[in-house]
Each structure stands twice: as C-alpha cells, then as structure tokens.
Amino acid sequence: MTSNQQVPGLPGAQRAERADGLPFQPHALAATRAAASAAALIAAGVGVLSLTGWIFDIVALKRVLPGVTPAMKANTAVAVIALGLSLYVVGRGPVRSRAAAAARAAAALTTVIGALVLVEYVTGADLHVDELLFNDNTADPGTPGRMAPNTAAALTLGGAAALCASARRVPAWISQIAGLAVLALGTLRLYGAAYRVSELERFVPYTGMALHTALALVLLGGALFLIRPDEGPAGLLTNAGTTGTLGRRLFVTALIVPPLLGWGILVGEDAELFGARLGTALLVCGHTVAFTALIFAALNVGRRVEVAHARLEWQVRQNQLLQAFMDNTPAVVFVKDVEGRYLAVNTTFEKSLNLSREQVLGRCDKDVMPSPLAEEVRASDLAVLRAGKPLQREELLTLPDGPREFLSTLFPLHDASGTPYAVCGVVTDVTERAAAQRELERAHRRFRALLESAPDATLIADGKGTIVMANAQVEPLFGRTPDDLVGTQVVDLVPESWRRRHGALLCAYLGLRDPQPTVVDRDLYGLHRDGTHFPVEVSISSLQAELQAERETLVVLSVRDITERRRAEAERAERYEQHRRIAYALQHSLMGEPPSLPYLPSAYRYLASLQDPGVGGDWFDVIPLDGRRTGVVVGDVMGRGLEAAAVMGQLRAASHALAHTGSTPSGLMTALDSFVGDLAGQLVTCVYLILDRDTGDVTLCSAGHPPVLVRPPDGPTRRLPAPIGVPLGVNDASGGGVPFEEATHALPPGSLLVLYTDGLVERPGTDIEARIDVLARTVDRAPKDAPADPELLDQEADRVVGTLIPDMSAHDDDVTLLLIGVPGADGGRGGG
C-alpha cells in the first residue's frame, strides 16, 4: 500500500469527492440546495403578495412605503412568481419530465417578459405588454405599467440562467454568473435606498425599481447561484475543504463590511461630524482595518491547513503502519469492496496465491483464484453483507499446494450511515491446530478409558466444586449415573448436615499454594440416592500444574466406602475404652477425693480428655490446716500417661504433707520445686493458697499456673494479683534460680474464688488471656448468693464448664475447675 492509498475503515474514508476533485459533504450540499429552494419560494411569495395587491387594488401590497417608493408592476410580479417557482422545482433535485418542462416554461416566461420590456426601452416602441394585465394607477414617472429597465435586465438574465440551471449539460458557471448579476442589480437598489442615492433607484426619466422587487431579485440571484452548489464558482464556496472555508469568510466579509463602512461614513457626513475628505479618509482606514483582520483570518485558515496537512501525513503514516501490521500478520488479511474488488491485501495473501499485490488489487476473486474456490469465497462475502455482522467458520479449501483447513473471520465495514461499504477478512491456517485437536480428542478418549478402569468411584471437579466428569463406579456407590452428576456440586453427594464442613475442606485444599495429593477419611460421609449415608475415604489430588496453560484448576476425588473399616475400628475403640476406664480408675485412686468441709462451701469438676487414651496429670486438694485455716492446691503435670499420673500422685501426697507441717505457700512451692527437680524431664504448674477465716485473708503463691480469679460480692470478677513464678522443675536442682514469692489479699465474706488448670481456658488458635477474660465474664453471671450455697456452686461449675467447653468430646486436654466460697469470720456461711 502506497502512502496515498486510503485504507477502508480509517478516519477520512467517508468523505466523497466531486469530479473536479473538491471534497464535499452530502448533508451540507442537501442543506444548501434546500436553502436555495427556500429563497426562490420566498421570492415567489413576494411576487404573489404584489400581484394580490394589483388584483384587489391594495396599495400597501404594491408599494413598501406608499407615496414614496415605486410599486412592483404587475408584469414584474408575474415574472418574479414564475422565476421563483421554476428555481424551487429545479432546486429540489431530480424531478419528473412534466415538472421539469413546467419549470423551463416558467423560466422562459420570465425571460420573455423581461426581454420584451428591454426591447421597448431600446427601440422606444410600445409593444402593449406593460398594461396587459392591469391598468397602472401608481402614477410613477415614465410609461405606465412598464417595469424599471434594471428590473427588466435582471429578470431577463434570471430567466435565461434558470433555463441553463435546469439543463445539466450546460456548465454551471453560466447560470451562477448570471445569478450574481441578478443579485448585484437587486443589491444596488437596496444600497440606493440605504444611502439615499436616487441614481441607484431609477434611471431618470424611467420608472424606478421597487424595494420589494429588489429584495425578490436578491433572493432569486442567491438561489440561482446556489441551485447547483457542487459545481462551478458555487462549488468553490460550498466545498468542505480549505478553499471553501476561506471563500465563505471572504464572501461574507465583502457583502457586509463595505456597506456598513459606507453607511457609517454617510451618517457621519449627514450629521456634520466631518467633511467629505475626512469621510473618504475614514472609509479608506476602515477598509484597511477590515482587510487587515481578513488577512489574519486567512492566516488562521492557512495555519489550520498546515495542521490538517500534518494530520494527513500522520494518517498516511498510520496507513503505512496498518499495512506493515497486516504484512507481518501470519494470517491472510484482505479488504474488498461490496462488488468483490480487492482494496488491500497482506504479504501472506500474496504468498498463498503466488500473486503480487499489483496483480490482486482492483480485481475480483474470479480473476485471482480458481473458479470453484472463487465461488465459495464470494458466497461467504455475500453472506456477511446480508447478515451485517461478523461471521466465523472453519473451512477446507483446496489451494495450489493442496487442501488446507482454515478458520475464516469475515466482518463488514460500515460508513457513518451504517451502510456496509467493504468486507474485511482474516483467514488463519489451522491445519496443524486441527490435527492437534484431533490428537487431543484421542487422548481424551484414552483418559476416559483409564478413568473408567479405576476401581473406586472417581469424580473430577473444577475449582468451584462443580463436577465435570465421573466414572461408572459412582452409580453403585451413590445411586446416580455419571451423566446425572455432571454439572452438580460435589457437596450434593454429602448429607446435608455435613455439607458445610465438607465444602470448607475442599475450599481449604484448593486454596493451598501447592496442593499435594492427600487422603481424608475422618468424619467424611457420602449420600446415596435413597437418602442413606455411609462413611467414605476420599483421595484428593489437583491437576492445576498439568492444565496451567488453560488457567484451570481441576481436582480428582477418588471415593471409597469404608463402612466395614469403620465397623472394625468401632470394635477396636470398644476395647480401647475398656483400657481407658482402667487408666482413669488408676488416676482417681491416685488423686483421691478432697474432703467436704462444712465451713467452706465448694464445688469442683475434673474432666478427662476423650481424645487421648492416656491418663492426665491434673490434681487439686483442699487441706484443713488448723481450726481457722484451710489450704487449697491445684496443679498440672505436663504430659500424659502413667508417668504423668505417678508424678501427680507423688506431688499430691508431698503437698498434703508439707501443708500439714505449717509451710507457707512460698515454702511449699520451694520444697515441691526441689522434689520435681529430682525427677528428670518433668515440668509442673501449681498454685497453693491458704485461706484464714479469722482475718479473711488469702495468701497464695503460683508456680507458672493460670491466675486465680475472685469475684467480690460487690464487684466484677478480677484476677487475684500474685508474683509471677516459674513452673516447678525449671530451677536448677543444685540451688539458685527464680525464688517463689507469695502475696496476701483481704477478701470480703461472700467472695467467690475460681481455681482451674489451663485445659479449661486454652484453645488452639486463640489468645489464652482473652479466654481467661471469657471465664471471668462467665463467673460474673453467677448468682450473688452462690458462694454461700454448695448446691448453687455445683450448678455454677456445670455452667462454667459448658460455656468454656461446649463439646468435651473434641477437647484434647484434662480440665480441672474448683469453686470456693469465702466464709465469714464466725465460720458460717457469711456474706451475700
């Protein structure tokens, strides 16, 4: 494609050109013709008004200013009407032969009327046509009923010009030049009235031109000039190019500026503001200013021309880039007009037909292709033009080098009105791709056969859990055929109560960055079509890596019924439960039961974990010391099993003995720390407190144990402050380390003490401090008189454990809880 070729569809392709090469816009030309027709019709209307005045003897319609200006003669009115109607018919465009003949007859009538009057003026003869219609009673000077000589000349020229305008074979400039002459004669009369120059109104002693006659001539002259706007001098003004723009501005300036300047000078002279010489100087100065402004306006237009030229060069560059893009596209690309002639092709097109671009452009399919192939291609083009939208299809075409498979995309190019003017095609050789697709289909069939050979029910789902494929083994397992399952969700094969959990597991697996094959067989159930459900084992793997090119993630789920396995596991679990009960009996025998003291209301809960077969190391004890003091100890041996239970038994016995020796809480912790230090690998948390009924004081010491909570009778539950200590067994057995410190607090009667092990508040993934706060808020809801009532304390212990651990079967640690009500100084159930 050369630099001056226009690629269809690019900007600028919608502008047409006339035979003389000047660009124009069809809508603008239609508007210009309509304006010319309207001007002719208005002029005819002026003639009709004047003729009406003659028919009904209405002076106001004969003259513009009665008694001052000449009247439009009856013959003039007839000629103006005939000429106006003739130009109106011609201006509407192609008409029937009868209408055209009528228009020419009307133009001829105008010419005859004007010519006869001119003959009368030239020869001095009276041809008796002046008062042929009406007697002239307007008392104008000259011959009665005879139109002014300039009017006669204008009508003669106008009629002849109308005859030329109606004949397309006559050059347009003839009628247009005549139209300008008619316009000039009418304008001169208007200038004479505006400047009060009688020489421009009449040629003494002849009749003068009426003002409305002058107006009609101006309209008729303009209509004659614009009736064929795409030809001749009018074409210079109406074209959409730079010459038209500049010409219109110059023409408007010439029509408006000089008359206005002359009128202004005359007004100044009449008002005696300046003399004739100064007026002339001002007129010259005004013209200089006007033409200077006009020059700058022309320069502005020239600048726009330069910008337009630069844009045209840019457009040419874009066309070159588009051709380069087409030439470097491996697909065959072409553009044809609606007749099937090639407008543009790329290099691949040339190579496919072994023809140069010059041999293709401007020719049709039948000129460059074998006949059968050309007929197929042309039929495709016509189908696209009829459909008015893109079409795509695969075709097998026979080329000179053999049959090939192609993917053809054809689409129409539309102009601004939506009419298709070209067809663009992109044809891609997909022979190798089609062969690869067939091989892929064979591979799919092999994969399907492999899938059907799997012994387990196998499901393949997309990343949203929608089943896309299933093998025949799903039918005996779920009672549904593979076709029934395609398009449904995987979770639809799960009992409704378990769907949320199963869906979460699948989403969690798909959310992994690099999901690995895994097997899940815990708490998974399948749903048969008859509504029964059964335990299943699911092997899950991802095909994301294999299908990365398609950006699709698939999961493969192999489902196996493990009902028999679960039955065998249940039998083993029953035997395990027997062993577990034996272990718990051993643990309870080692821990013993704390004494029930009538002066110390209390309630406790010890709950062993159901998730671990071994016994735990939690213990607690209430130790009466003397008549007014009571010791309370809660501990937790880290680990599980018989070893932890044995250490727990030893520590319980040791703490009980040490408490009876009168040891302070810190002394008891120091002694227990030495004892645990002798046991290799043991770690114990413990808290010991002494409650004095006489003073209401509580003294406590903690070895890494969760804080003791207290709820006063008149306030919210809070933590009982105590020095931070390390767990037992951390300090070096040879001496040194972190000393154990104690603290003493006064508690009002009716307070509630809460001691517990970490199994009550510790949960995976949560902050233990936040869980202790939850425990405190739970204790706050206990009745105010609960510390003095063992039954209420017992109920409160159940409520606290139920709130903190809703499902004990899923809990993996032992739980110990001890609630103690602080009695009054008299040893009774005080405080409320």
Side-chain angles (χ1 to χ4, degrees), residues 461-462 464-465 490-491 501-511 540 555 557:
D462 61 15
K464 297 181 180 179
V490 173
V491 293
R501 179 178 182 274
H502 286 49
L505 289 175
L506 180 60
C507 291
Y509 179 80
L510 292 174
I540 182 171
V555 290
L557 301 103

Side-chain angles (χ1 to χ4, degrees), residues 439-456:
E439 180 60 31
L440 180 62
E441 292 174 356
R442 285 193 293 269
H444 176 75
R445 289 193 295 269
R446 290 194 292 268
F447 172 76
R448 186 73 198 193
L450 178 62
L451 181 66
E452 294 297 339
S453 65
D456 295 326

Side-chain angles (χ1 to χ4, degrees), residues 6-10 13-14 322 326 333-338 343-344 381 384-385 388-390 409-426:
Q6 180 70 50
V7 176
L10 291 179
Q14 306 303 322
L322 177 58
M326 292 170 55
V333 181
F334 61 85
V335 180
K336 294 187 249 183
D337 62 16
V338 293
L343 303 177
D381 296 344
V384 171
L385 291 174
K389 60 182 180 180
T409 302
L410 301 177
F411 52 91
L413 302 178
H414 298 88
D415 59 17
S417 63
T419 303
Y421 67 89
V423 175
C424 185
V426 180

Side-chain angles (χ1 to χ4, degrees), residues 43-53 77 80-81:
V46 173
V48 169
L49 289 175
S50 181
L51 186 60
T52 302
V80 167
I81 294 171

Side-chain angles (χ1 to χ4, degrees), residues 728-790:
L728 304 178
V730 173
N731 288 327
D732 190 354
S734 61
V738 180
F740 294 97
E741 299 179 3
E742 60 186 44
T744 301
H745 303 280
L747 299 180
S751 298
L752 177 62
L753 287 171
V754 183
L755 296 87
Y756 52 93
T757 57
D758 58 2
L760 180 66
V761 294
E762 201 170 46
R763 295 286 297 275
T766 60
D767 184 3
I768 190 171
E769 297 296 326
R771 295 287 297 170
I772 293 174
D773 292 339
V774 172
L775 174 60
R777 291 193 295 270
T778 304
V779 173
D780 277 337
R781 294 195 293 269
K784 291 298 182 180
D785 54 349
D789 190 338

Side-chain angles (χ1 to χ4, degrees), residues 419-754:
T419 303
Y421 67 89
V423 175
C424 185
V426 180
V427 182
T428 307
D429 189 340
V430 294
T431 305
E432 288 75 14
R433 185 192 305 173
Q437 180 65 30
R438 288 190 290 269
E439 180 60 31
L440 180 62
E441 292 174 356
R442 285 193 293 269
H444 176 75
R445 289 193 295 269
R446 290 194 292 268
F447 172 76
R448 186 73 198 193
L450 178 62
L451 181 66
E452 294 297 339
S453 65
D456 295 326
T458 304
L459 305 169
I460 299 179
D462 61 15
K464 297 181 180 179
T466 303
I467 299 173
V468 297
M469 190 179 295
N471 64 357
Q473 281 69 27
V474 299
E475 187 167 1
L477 188 64
F478 297 106
R480 300 174 65 179
T481 64
D483 292 340
D484 291 340
L485 293 181
V486 173
T488 62
Q489 296 293 312
V490 173
V491 293
D492 292 342
L493 300 176
V494 177
E496 187 171 356
S497 59
W498 292 87
R499 288 178 184 175
R500 183 175 181 181
R501 179 178 182 274
H502 286 49
L505 289 175
L506 180 60
C507 291
Y509 179 80
L510 292 174
L512 297 175
R513 179 175 298 179
D514 185 20
Q516 299 297 319
T518 185
V519 177
V520 183
D521 63 351
R522 185 175 180 180
D523 293 335
L524 295 182
Y525 293 90
L527 178 66
H528 196 272
R529 193 182 193 119
D530 60 8
T532 60
H533 59 272
F534 49 90
V536 296
E537 174 188 86
V538 179
S539 299
I540 182 171
S541 59
S542 172
L543 295 179
Q544 184 176 11
E546 289 81 349
L547 297 179
Q548 189 174 3
E550 287 80 6
R551 296 184 180 180
E552 185 178 6
T553 299
L554 297 179
V555 290
V556 180
L557 301 103
S558 296
V559 186
R560 177 176 298 176
D561 187 348
I562 57 172
T563 303
E564 294 301 325
R565 184 198 302 176
R566 286 287 181 259
R567 185 177 294 112
E569 290 175 352
E571 294 176 357
R572 289 196 300 271
E574 185 177 357
R575 291 194 296 270
Y576 158 78
E577 184 62 25
Q578 293 176 354
H579 297 160
R580 186 170 175 274
R581 285 195 294 268
I582 295 173
Y584 284 146
L586 173 62
Q587 183 181 33
H588 281 284
S589 66
L590 292 173
M591 188 172 64
E593 291 287 339
S596 178
L597 304 179
Y599 55 84
L600 192 66
S602 65
Y604 67 88
R605 291 292 182 273
Y606 174 77
L607 303 174
S609 170
L610 301 179
Q611 299 294 315
D612 198 309
V615 294
D618 286 12
W619 92 91
F620 66 94
D621 202 357
V622 178
I623 309 169
L625 300 178
D626 53 30
R628 310 301 292 179
R629 295 192 311 149
T630 305
V632 180
V633 61
V634 175
D636 184 4
V637 179
M638 300 301 174
R640 300 186 62 80
L642 293 176
E643 183 178 1
V647 173
M648 176 270 292
Q650 297 176 54
L651 288 175
R652 180 177 182 277
S655 61
H656 199 279
L658 288 170
H660 279 292
T661 63
S663 295
T664 63
S666 58
L668 185 141
M669 286 299 173
T670 303
L672 289 181
D673 185 49
S674 299
F675 178 77
V676 175
D678 294 335
L679 303 175
Q682 294 296 329
L683 195 65
V684 180
T685 65
C686 184
V687 61
Y688 175 61
L689 62 83
I690 297 176
L691 183 62
D692 192 327
R693 286 183 293 155
D694 288 336
T695 62
D697 294 340
V698 60
T699 302
L700 75 158
C701 181
S702 174
H705 204 75
V708 178
L709 302 181
V710 59
R711 194 198 74 178
D714 56 352
T717 303
R718 57 183 176 83
R719 305 183 189 195
L720 198 60
I724 300 175
V726 299
L728 304 178
V730 173
N731 288 327
D732 190 354
S734 61
V738 180
F740 294 97
E741 299 179 3
E742 60 186 44
T744 301
H745 303 280
L747 299 180
S751 298
L752 177 62
L753 287 171
V754 183

Side-chain angles (χ1 to χ4, degrees), residues 206-228:
Y206 303 117
T207 301
M209 182 187 294
L211 277 178
H212 43 323
T213 301
L215 176 62
L217 292 177
V218 169
L219 292 173
L220 292 171
L224 280 167
F225 184 76
L226 298 176
I227 206 73
R228 291 166 67 175

